[in-house]
Amino acid sequence: MTKYLVLCASGLLMVACANKPAPTAFSPDSYDRVVRSEKIELGLPIHSPAAKYPSWQVAKRQDGWVLLEYTILTNGRTHNVHVIDSSPTKIFDQSAIDAVQQYRYRPIQQNGQVISVDQVRSKITFDAL
């Protein structure tokens, strides 16, 4: 039976940063305390397929999470999706990347112009149930 990921409620909060670079090391706790210089409300993706629980992990019944960072382009597609942190390391990374690469957002506007937004972060949680 294929297991699907559960998007964690805290992972639905996505924040963009304009001027301040993100710290290089992240944990789920430090992520919530990151201070941003400018916040843009992104809302939820209009298309966000669930990541698939890796079939080779089913027997181990392991839970985990992946913190990803990416850019939302002016057309609403994601770009440059990469892992910031994960636990356990590298087990769920590719499944999370594959899912976020399929996300679609409504184009984001600022001051009446459609913009791309860098350093968007999402935390995806995998539950073995």
Side-chain angles (χ1 to χ4, degrees), residues 1-122:
M1 176 161 75
T2 304
K3 304 277 182 162
Y4 292 99
L5 103 107
V6 177
L7 284 174
C8 184
S10 66
L12 296 177
L13 175 62
M14 296 170 214
V15 180
C17 174
N19 299 321
K20 226 177 211 182
T24 55
F26 272 86
S27 73
D29 295 331
S30 67
Y31 173 65
D32 294 332
R33 293 190 297 265
V34 172
V35 176
R36 301 296 180 152
S37 59
E38 179 181 344
K39 292 184 179 180
I40 299 170
E41 185 61 44
L42 303 177
L44 300 175
I46 57 175
H47 176 71
S48 57
K52 294 186 179 180
Y53 191 94
S55 59
W56 56 273
Q57 278 299 112
V58 171
K60 293 182 180 180
R61 301 187 55 80
Q62 188 166 31
D63 295 340
W65 54 265
V66 180
L67 180 61
L68 300 136
E69 183 176 86
Y70 51 95
T71 299
I72 300 174
L73 300 174
T74 56
N75 64 5
R77 293 181 177 272
T78 58
H79 177 69
N80 193 28
V81 179
H82 59 278
V83 174
I84 298 293
D85 199 3
S86 62
S87 178
T89 304
K90 301 202 184 277
I91 300 295
F92 301 107
D93 293 12
Q94 193 58 53
S95 290
I97 289 170
D98 291 347
V100 171
Q101 286 176 332
Q102 296 177 56
Y103 282 15
R104 299 296 178 264
Y105 290 83
R106 283 196 172 82
I108 299 161
Q109 292 193 7
Q110 185 177 42
N111 299 327
Q113 292 193 354
V114 176
I115 62 169
S116 64
V117 181
D118 296 318
Q119 296 180 321
V120 177
R121 294 202 176 102
S122 293

